[in-house]
Amino acid sequence: MFPMSAKDLSRIPVEDLTEAQAAAELARLSREIAEHDARYYQEDAPIISDAEYDALRARNAAIEARFPALVRPDSPSRRVGAAPAGRFPKVRHAVPMLSLDNAFSEGDVRDFVERIRRFLRLGDAPIDFVAEPKIDGLSLSLRYERGVLVAGATRGDGSIGEDVTANVKTLADVPHRLAGTHVPAICEVRGEVYMTKSAFLALNERQAAAGEPVFANPRNAAAGSLRQKDPAVTASRPLGFFAYAWGEMSEMPAGTQSGMTEWFAACGFKTNPLMRLCHSVDELLAFHREMELKRGALDYDIDGVVYKVDRIDWQERLGYVSRSPRWAVAHKFPAEKATTVVKAIDIQVGRTGALTPVAKLEPVTVGGVVVQNATLHNEDEIARKDVRIGDTVVIQRAGDVIPQVLGVVLEKRPAHAQPFQFPRRCPCSLHTPVVRERTASGAEGAVARCSGEFACPYQRIEHLRHFVSRRAFDIEGLGEKQIAFFYAQGWLKEPADIFTLEERNESIRLQEQEGYGEVSVRNLFRAINARREIPLERFIYALGIRHVGETTARALARGYGSWQAFYDACLKLAHGDQETRQEMDALDQIGDTVIDALEAYFREPHNRRIVERLTKQVRIRDAERPARDSRIAGKTVVFTGTLEQMTREEAKALAERLGAKVAGSVSKNTDFVVAGPGAGSKLAKARELGVTVLSEDEWLALTKQG
Ligand code: IVH
């Protein structure tokens, strides 16, 4: 057994973290959360429970609250989900589709209501809330123009979703034309697509009988069914839809959430019959208790309840904090648990060489889903929980994911059970030693990595898999199995090899391999050739550089515009050029962690060779420069003195919503100082520096000019 490392950052309470440790933790959390987002949103194959995911986010938020200066440009608190998979055309949502903050306890719910009171300066005035079940499905936005359904889109990354219009039209609960007399010219109706539990079981039976893969749970089944290429397949899957929100509306048919719900119903949508108007926190909590009791008897999965401020004018004033509205919260149910036996502990090697232990379990049903694997995260987690092969463990599964091991039932431990020996060598054929990295603060990181890097076959294969994955090069017909096979044959060692496969096929003769024929080989080469041109951001993401996820890749692509400009900068960076470092640092969303990772990557001759070989094979399309739309977008604003029309918090939120930065002090970089009565030194400073000073009214007028 390995002693618990007191230095393991992930276990240090937030209050005790030093600044350097906090920075390292934020970097780790950002990376981990991004990976989990991708697994959940893209692959419908999450590997940790919701509860665990929520805990990662909560820790990130708590560290950011303590060290606001350390908030990373790529912080999870600034992102929603991950960008959508590459299968369907992309659509930009006219109004972003956001996420909800979570509450887990009565205290969290009371805090949520108190925050609203303070923000709106409501004192003790009553607030009405709509309380409704939180459906465990996937959100969908339906666009109607002059009452006719013109588009259906998934949430995707919140800004850009997938266009699933043809599939959506096959859903019985989605009207093709809005009923009723009051139909604005443009209406976007949003809600949740779900599959009932009974339909899910029947579908899985059919899938199994046909030798097709079964779905882990109704949510995945709904997501999989909606993302079918053939709408006829979607039509054959029983999907339901509850309307509960809206996007762009040319006119608002109601002034309250409950009024909007009635309007949805009048238009022909199903709305959840359990929805209830509540007038106090106690009523909200009673609703939560009631739904928790009802949960098992409902024919669809719910994972909590949602509370929304009823008055829409208040919703608008409350606005959003990066990814979620201030006016709504998801009050989650506790996760479901079960006990089972650990049959084995496998070690999986990831793209960056991280060794992840996975418990192989005696199959057990948790919340209606058969569970056989549970993640054990890392070496320290196994040691901390002292999980041994043969142990009976309590596992927890929330919603829809690979469950986690909560702990061991010690009374049931077999006498012969031995502490798990975490391997000191990679399970790959080279058996390279495993290293525990140091974090920025010098502490030992929790992740054990294979030190083999370019030589470790597992890492190479994972790299190639990442390269062809949906959000990277998206090459159909080159999946996990094929990559492993091609690698073992020596046909594929690095990305450029994919593009020379066709010319080498004269000697390889893939069509003669088992499982291949003339047609599948032709299709594979067609799929490969279709990717010889690729947008810059995808290309950068596909390289699989540490810390360069999709959001970061997009930011780099936008910042540099072309591959040549980006590559030149990276080479200079690799030579230690400080000017380039500063130039990169000035880019939105890019900070030291990313820059260090780029520097390390491009310093390595092996990587440069891989990249240069690859760029000879593909054409990289320049990035689009983002459009600026609001008058104050990109401007820096300082508020000083008393504001009379709204709280400081609300003013700040409004400015940020329009793309402005709100700063605490005046400098030559300040664009506007908004001064109210009582303004003092900041106003004087603004005058001294010649910064534009606005009254609250002038400022508000500017925000309304759009
Ligand atoms: S309201 C501005 N209401 O939960 C946010 N969301 O965790 C509007 N969800 O993305 C969302 N049931 O997919 C809302 N009754 C409900 C919901 C619900 C399920 C999902 C939705 C959202 C996610 C956030």
Side-chain angles (χ1 to χ4, degrees):
M1 196 181 111
F2 296 98
M4 245 170 39
S5 156
K7 289 180 183 160
D8 179 3
L9 288 183
S10 66
R11 276 182 285 131
I12 301 181
V14 173
E15 318 78 81
D16 298 340
L17 288 170
T18 64
E19 192 166 346
Q21 290 172 329
E25 263 298 83
L26 289 176
R28 174 187 74 89
L29 289 163
S30 163
R31 189 176 64 244
E32 281 194 15
I33 292 170
E35 281 173 11
H36 292 309
D37 279 346
R39 284 186 185 268
Y40 181 89
Y41 289 105
Q42 260 63 57
E43 299 154 27
D44 286 328
I47 53 161
I48 57 169
S49 70
D50 278 3
E52 218 170 337
Y53 175 81
D54 292 333
L56 290 176
R57 272 197 177 273
R59 183 166 170 86
N60 190 74
I63 300 176
E64 287 186 341
R66 222 193 116 202
F67 298 99
L70 297 184
V71 175
R72 298 167 59 85
D74 63 352
S75 165
S77 60
R78 300 189 177 186
R79 279 186 269 124
V80 183
R87 279 178 143 197
F88 289 91
K90 305 289 187 287
V91 268
R92 182 171 287 279
H93 298 298
V95 175
M97 287 181 82
L98 297 170
S99 190
L100 291 172
D101 251 355
N102 292 323
F104 297 100
S105 63
E106 185 180 324
D108 290 350
V109 176
R110 292 191 188 279
D111 287 350
F112 160 72
V113 175
E114 272 319 300
R115 266 199 309 277
I116 291 174
R117 281 189 191 290
R118 270 201 311 275
F119 192 100
L120 296 176
R121 287 192 187 148
L122 289 180
D124 290 334
I127 313 176
D128 284 350
F129 287 94
V130 169
E132 55 190 87
K134 183 169 186 300
I135 319 294
D136 198 6
L138 69 152
S139 46
L140 181 70
S141 184
L142 300 167
R143 186 176 174 90
Y144 292 84
E145 288 176 2
R146 282 179 236 294
V148 177
L149 176 63
V150 293
T154 63
R155 178 167 77 170
D157 68 359
S159 310
I160 297 180
E162 293 166 308
D163 179 350
V164 287
T165 312
N167 292 353
V168 154
K169 285 186 175 165
T170 69
L171 267 60
D173 291 352
V174 171
H176 289 198
R177 181 177 281 278
L178 297 181
T181 45
H182 193 87
V183 176
I186 294 174
C187 304
E188 280 183 6
V189 176
R190 293 175 174 177
E192 201 84 353
V193 176
Y194 65 94
M195 189 178 280
T196 60
K197 296 179 193 167
S198 42
F200 161 73
L201 292 175
L203 171 64
N204 264 0
E205 262 174 43
R206 286 205 306 276
Q207 292 283 109
E212 300 281 337
V214 294
F215 294 101
N217 51 57
R219 200 199 78 85
N220 280 13
S225 301
L226 192 70
R227 285 173 167 157
Q228 288 294 321
K229 283 193 193 156
D230 179 359
V233 178
T234 307
S236 74
R237 305 271 175 84
L239 295 174
F241 178 77
F242 281 129
Y244 57 62
W246 59 93
E248 184 181 355
M249 298 288 298
S250 55
E251 202 187 310
M252 284 296 282
T256 55
Q257 183 77 33
S258 46
M260 285 302 283
T261 308
E262 280 166 28
W263 178 76
F264 292 145
C267 287
F269 288 99
K270 289 219 172 94
T271 55
N272 195 296
L274 299 167
M275 246 180 230
R276 178 183 305 167
L277 195 61
C278 295
H279 311 284
S280 67
V281 180
D282 292 329
E283 283 181 40
L284 296 179
L285 296 170
F287 182 80
H288 184 263
R289 278 192 296 274
E290 237 179 85
M291 291 304 128
E292 201 178 344
L293 292 177
K294 255 205 176 89
R295 182 184 192 186
L298 294 176
D299 195 25
Y300 46 86
D301 273 343
I302 65 174
D303 56 349
V305 295
V306 183
Y307 310 135
K308 302 171 183 173
V309 169
D310 194 38
R311 274 179 62 165
I312 294 171
D313 58 338
W314 284 359
Q315 291 187 358
E316 281 166 358
R317 281 179 57 195
L318 285 158
Y320 298 82
V321 201
S322 64
R323 64 186 272 273
S324 22
R326 278 194 194 82
W327 46 267
V329 78
H331 189 181
K332 296 289 202 71
F333 295 139
E336 295 179 73
K337 296 181 186 137
T339 51
T340 185
V341 173
V342 177
K343 293 194 299 185
I345 296 175
D346 279 4
I347 302 288
Q348 291 174 354
V349 185
R351 170 162 58 90
T352 57
L355 269 52
T356 305
V358 177
K360 298 280 156 184
L361 306 169
E362 204 63 71
V364 61
T365 308
V366 196
V369 172
V370 179
V371 167
Q372 316 200 49
N373 298 311
T375 177
L376 288 163
H377 304 285
N378 54 49
E379 179 173 1
D380 291 352
E381 274 299 293
I382 298 198
R384 189 171 69 80
K385 293 177 179 154
D386 188 16
V387 178
R388 306 179 183 190
I389 296 169
D391 267 344
T392 297
V393 288
V394 179
I395 59 165
Q396 170 176 286
R397 169 190 165 266
D400 39 13
V401 288
I402 293 193
Q404 57 171 342
V405 173
L406 286 185
V408 175
V409 186
L410 283 176
E411 307 81 72
K412 294 202 174 166
R413 172 167 285 169
H416 58 82
Q418 293 299 313
F420 181 70
Q421 293 294 327
F422 200 87
R424 304 267 53 101
R425 289 182 174 273
C426 180
C428 74
S429 54
L430 300 174
H431 305 300
T432 328
V434 164
V435 289
R436 292 271 298 250
E437 276 172 3
R438 307 251 150 221
T439 61
S441 62
E444 195 177 53
V447 177
R449 273 177 218 282
C450 161
S451 57
E453 268 190 81
F454 322 117
C456 169
Y458 284 179
Q459 288 186 56
R460 285 196 153 208
I461 291 175
E462 286 302 313
H463 252 291
L464 286 162
R465 263 181 28 156
H466 169 80
F467 184 82
V468 300
S469 66
R470 272 197 266 162
R471 290 168 301 145
F473 264 71
D474 188 23
I475 300 180
E476 239 172 273
L478 259 190
E480 195 170 336
K481 252 177 31 204
Q482 291 82 359
I483 296 262
F485 173 63
F486 288 14
Y487 184 89
Q489 299 294 321
W491 301 334
L492 273 193
K493 289 204 180 66
E494 56 175 79
D497 298 341
I498 295 171
F499 296 96
T500 61
L501 205 56
E502 188 168 10
E503 57 201 60
R504 289 183 288 134
N505 197 39
E506 269 190 36
S507 56
I508 292 176
R509 305 202 62 75
L510 191 53
Q511 59 280 12
E512 287 160 21
Q513 299 292 325
E514 203 182 306
Y516 282 95
E518 297 286 347
V519 177
S520 55
V521 169
R522 209 176 318 126
N523 285 344
L524 174 63
F525 293 145
R526 189 176 302 143
I528 292 173
N529 290 329
R531 293 293 182 268
R532 283 189 188 268
E533 194 180 310
I534 183 153
L536 178 58
E537 59 186 70
R538 268 187 182 249
F539 185 83
I540 297 176
Y541 170 70
L543 294 179
I545 300 167
R546 270 182 88 183
H547 304 295
V548 182
E550 267 185 304
T551 318
T552 310
R554 199 173 306 133
L556 290 167
R558 287 191 178 162
Y560 283 95
S562 72
W563 166 252
Q564 205 51 55
F566 173 67
Y567 191 49
D568 286 348
C570 289
L571 293 182
K572 281 197 206 148
L573 194 64
H575 280 105
D577 186 279
Q578 286 308 306
E579 225 168 276
T580 309
R581 177 169 269 274
Q582 280 161 16
E583 158 196 303
M584 244 184 219
D585 198 38
L587 291 180
D588 201 18
Q589 318 236 25
I590 307 297
D592 279 343
T593 319
V594 169
I595 302 177
D596 289 346
L598 288 170
E599 184 181 334
Y601 183 90
F602 286 99
R603 210 185 306 126
E604 188 57 58
H606 174 87
N607 290 333
R608 291 200 303 268
R609 199 185 56 77
I610 283 195
V611 168
E612 276 166 20
R613 277 198 62 203
L614 179 61
T615 49
K616 290 203 179 79
Q617 298 294 332
V618 296
R619 207 183 82 75
I620 305 164
R621 257 202 321 270
D622 289 354
E624 288 164 25
R625 300 279 175 157
R628 291 255 175 233
D629 37 15
S630 132
R631 287 272 307 260
I632 53 176
K635 298 281 195 279
T636 301
V637 190
V638 173
F639 293 99
T640 178
T642 315
L643 298 181
E644 288 167 326
Q645 307 190 37
M646 53 181 76
T647 58
R648 189 68 79 79
E649 197 185 5
E650 188 174 350
K652 181 166 185 275
L654 174 63
E656 285 172 351
R657 190 150 69 226
L658 295 169
K661 269 198 231 114
V662 178
S665 58
V666 180
S667 74
K668 62 180 186 343
N669 297 326
T670 311
D671 295 292
F672 304 115
V673 168
V674 181
S681 62
K682 289 183 191 170
L683 179 58
K685 182 86 185 277
R687 297 235 161 91
E688 184 190 316
L689 294 172
V691 173
T692 311
V693 177
L694 302 173
S695 68
E696 186 178 355
D697 284 339
E698 286 167 333
W699 162 253
L700 284 175
L702 200 61
T703 62
K704 287 185 184 124
Q705 285 169 18

